[in-house]
Amino acid sequence: MSASYALVLRIPHARRTFATALLGRLSYGVVPLSVMLAVNRASGSYAVAGAAMALFGATVVLLAPARAALIDRYGPRRALVPLLTAYVVLLALLTAAVWRPGASPVLLGILTALAGACVPPLGPTMRTVWSRLAQDDKALLQRAYSLDGVAEELLFVSGPLLVGVLVGVVAPTAGIVVGAALMVAGTTGFVRSPAVRAVPPAAPSSVRRDSGGRRVLRRIARPVGAAAAVGLALGVLDLLVVVFAERHHHGAASVAWVLAALSAGSAVGGLLNGSVNWSLPARTRLTLLTACLGAALVGAGLAPGLGTLALVMAGAGFFVSPAVTTAYLIADATVAPEARTRAGAWVNTAVNAGSTGGTAAAGVLAGRLPVAGCFAVTGAVVVVTAVLGMTKGARGRGALREEVAVV
């Protein structure tokens, strides 16, 4: 396995480009929590802090395809620098607004929403760069995407830990400053990489033909649907694990261990998935991975205790990163090169939107069904989504293109 990933990092300019992208993406795990803590401190209201973070998250997720379209249309260098500038300026204004208590809730909401709208899309852009660096080597691209996905997951874990260290010694606003500095350093190094400079903007004819990105979404509807199902599962699990622990008389610390088992399983699954030269078509693998995730959720409801649930969650996590990685691979293979950033952004948006919807659905289910029933319903929805996606993909005009995405 180490040899296979070493091949990825030995690609010319790959290590430098990947390292700077990860540095900037660490900001994704630092800024949101820092903003929430700073807004809560300035307003003295959890409701205001929650509303501000909801606005930040909404603009980050819902406008991700639009920001990715700027990358495709103008190229990474011409699009990322203005987005970075606007993002840093808005974070600076937000830092000034929350520096002292008594800030206007309306002002805080506007600034957080605008900041979320301008977040530089380093993740989708890095995946576009990986596609060019792999030079149509599907096995190498799978390893690159797997490595990228596992690394990003670790960043989202380490970011809040860094915030926890910071707020222990300084004010929460320091976390916003640190997050902005990480984004500046990472994005600046990223756009200066020869691999990023080599990514061209889209031709004007392709921009007109794309009609605002609707064709891109239609062509990748299947991997986007599967990604949404994976996100739904993750969003439901975040709340159901808490409910399970409470009903078995365990504290909040035990919940963290169960969710850590889920993340660990996802990391292991992602690394193993990237190291295997699969003979199954990517479309078939995505169906199987998503269905296995759903089946694992059904089994989770039968766990007699928290220790068993942690083991089942590790098994469920084993399918999470491979499923998302495979969705990215299918989306990348289905669209034209000048639409790859948008395709990846749609998959990412589907995961985030599914997670948000899953958390809301879990709250409704938990009040009406026993926890085992909640797990079963969620797992069944994920399995049905996987099967329907396979049927639709086989009938669709893009099925042949997906079938050749064999790695």
Side-chain angles (χ1 to χ4, degrees):
M1 185 190 306
S2 60
S4 68
Y5 286 108
L7 291 175
V8 174
L9 297 177
R10 281 203 295 265
I11 301 173
H13 311 301
R15 280 178 292 186
R16 169 186 172 182
T17 309
F18 188 38
T20 54
L22 290 180
L23 181 64
R25 289 153 78 180
L26 179 58
S27 174
Y28 297 161
V30 172
V31 169
L33 181 56
S34 299
V35 168
M36 185 183 70
L37 294 174
V39 170
N40 178 59
R41 181 180 180 183
S43 64
S45 169
Y46 288 109
V48 173
M53 284 313 302
L55 290 171
F56 182 85
T59 52
V60 168
V61 173
L62 297 179
L63 295 180
R67 294 192 298 272
L70 296 176
I71 304 296
D72 283 332
R73 182 167 185 175
Y74 298 106
R77 297 190 73 191
R78 291 177 60 191
L80 283 175
V81 172
L83 285 172
L84 172 66
T85 303
Y87 182 60
V88 172
V89 168
L90 287 165
L91 287 183
L93 292 174
L94 180 61
T95 302
V98 298
W99 192 260
R100 293 181 179 179
S104 166
V106 175
L107 175 62
L108 296 178
I110 291 174
L111 289 176
T112 52
L114 291 176
C118 298
V119 175
L122 292 181
T125 308
M126 184 65 230
R127 283 184 283 272
T128 298
V129 174
W130 279 129
S131 296
R132 293 181 61 86
L133 291 175
Q135 297 180 346
D136 296 324
D137 186 331
K138 297 298 182 181
L140 193 62
L141 182 59
Q142 176 185 283
R143 294 184 181 105
Y145 275 13
S146 296
L147 181 63
D148 189 280
V150 171
E152 186 172 63
E153 188 166 338
L154 293 176
L155 291 179
F156 276 102
V157 173
S158 58
L161 293 177
L162 177 59
V163 174
V165 173
L166 288 173
V167 298
V169 294
V170 291
T173 50
I176 303 177
V177 175
V178 170
L182 289 170
M183 183 61 76
V184 169
T187 305
T188 301
F190 184 69
V191 299
R192 296 181 64 182
S193 166
V196 177
R197 294 203 304 267
V199 179
S205 59
S206 66
V207 173
R208 291 192 297 269
R209 187 170 61 248
D210 185 41
S211 182
R214 289 188 295 273
R215 287 187 180 182
V216 173
L217 183 57
R218 284 199 299 268
R219 296 192 68 177
I220 61 172
R222 186 186 177 280
V224 165
V230 174
L232 174 74
L234 295 176
V236 168
L237 287 177
D238 283 343
L239 183 58
L240 289 189
V241 170
V242 174
V243 175
F244 186 97
E246 288 180 349
R247 293 182 181 178
H248 286 76
H249 310 291
H250 291 280
S254 58
V255 173
W257 284 107
V258 175
L259 295 178
L262 177 70
S263 297
S266 179
V268 172
L271 290 174
L272 290 175
N273 174 70
S275 65
V276 175
N277 291 322
W278 293 99
S279 59
L280 284 175
R283 181 176 63 84
T284 304
R285 288 207 316 277
L286 181 59
T287 298
L288 293 175
L289 289 167
T290 310
C292 287
L293 173 61
L297 294 184
V298 174
L302 304 177
L306 208 62
T308 306
L309 181 64
L311 292 176
V312 176
M313 287 296 98
F318 191 80
F319 303 104
V320 171
S321 183
V324 175
T325 297
T326 306
Y328 281 127
L329 286 168
I330 295 174
D332 181 85
T334 304
V335 301
E338 60 268 17
R340 282 172 173 166
T341 311
R342 273 166 294 172
W346 275 115
V347 173
N348 187 258
T349 296
V351 174
N352 291 326
S355 178
T356 301
T359 303
V364 175
L365 290 174
R368 299 172 181 268
L369 297 174
V371 67
C374 296
F375 277 115
V377 169
T378 304
V381 169
V382 174
V383 171
V384 170
T385 301
V387 174
L388 290 178
M390 183 177 184
T391 304
K392 181 178 179 181
R395 291 198 301 260
R397 289 181 297 177
L400 180 61
R401 186 74 176 275
E402 292 178 7
E403 283 289 350
V404 300
V406 180
V407 288

